[in-house]
Amino acid sequence: VIALMTIAFLCAVAGFWATAKAADKGTPKAQPSAFGDMQPTKTHAGCGVGAGLGWIDANLDVPGPVTVSSVGSRVHGRALCDWQYQAFIIGLFVDYDWQFGDLKTIGVKNEATVGGRLGVAVSQSAFIYGHGSWMRADGSFGHVDGLGYGLGTELRLPGGAPFSLDFRLTRKVYDNVLGSGLDVDATEAKATLVYKLNFFK
């Protein structure tokens, strides 16, 4: 599963790169930064909100050769702010997810996430980033806390409107779930439509 998701992520990055290069054609070329042709102005900065869909595969690590696995889909809302210095982007985000599918059946209801990301612009229209986060999942069992990390990419949509598409992969780890001594790890993929206004020009 992780290998397939990684391949999907790399294909998405390649597609975003090609789209961004096509979208950048015909626009005035910016002065080069320390990273050559990377855009040095604040084209990716701003604060905004987003909404999207996700999928998660969670595994309970029990003693022995057996792993208990469950999957589910989710919808989420997001609030975020990004700052940019030359080719570098640093941001903060808050996500809130509502769970569906098998995970909801076994008691998982929603999850709140607070995190940050550090990225680099590959064009005026796209950047790639790494991210880290703290999560709290709530359900019929109470709540459990965890940590997450992963990769993502954000592409500004053509047309001049302040919309972008964000695709993110996250590896999540919940240690000592509910004091049981057992750990849960999960792999999550999210696609988010973001509306972001640049207040930092």
Side-chain angles (χ1 to χ4, degrees), residues 129-152:
Y129 63 88
H131 65 91
S133 57
W134 170 88
M135 302 90 60
R136 170 163 288 184
D138 291 299
S140 58
F141 47 78
H143 68 262
V144 295
D145 297 336
L147 298 175
Y149 59 91
L151 298 172

Side-chain angles (χ1 to χ4, degrees), residues 60-185:
L60 177 63
D61 300 325
V62 297
V66 178
T67 299
V68 180
S69 180
S70 186
V71 299
S73 57
R74 43 180 43 189
V75 297
H76 65 273
R78 177 176 299 167
L80 71 151
C81 272
D82 292 317
W83 295 264
Q84 183 172 354
Y85 176 73
Q86 294 192 355
F88 296 102
I89 299 97
I90 185 170
L92 300 173
F93 62 88
V94 176
D95 280 13
Y96 195 86
D97 295 81
W98 291 268
Q99 186 66 49
F100 298 94
D102 293 342
L103 284 173
K104 184 177 181 181
T105 301
I106 63 174
V108 181
K109 296 179 180 178
N110 49 60
E111 183 176 64
T113 302
V114 178
R117 61 180 178 174
L118 178 64
V120 63
V122 296
S123 75
Q124 297 181 43
S125 302
F127 69 93
I128 57 177
Y129 63 88
H131 65 91
S133 57
W134 170 88
M135 302 90 60
R136 170 163 288 184
D138 291 299
S140 58
F141 47 78
H143 68 262
V144 295
D145 297 336
L147 298 175
Y149 59 91
L151 298 172
T153 184
E154 185 173 313
L155 171 71
R156 289 173 55 198
L157 299 182
F163 288 99
S164 60
L165 182 63
D166 181 279
F167 182 76
R168 177 179 299 175
L169 289 176
T170 308
R171 184 67 172 170
K172 301 184 172 187
V173 180
Y174 306 85
D175 291 327
N176 191 26
V177 175
L178 301 177
S180 65
L182 302 178
D183 299 334
V184 172
D185 60 82

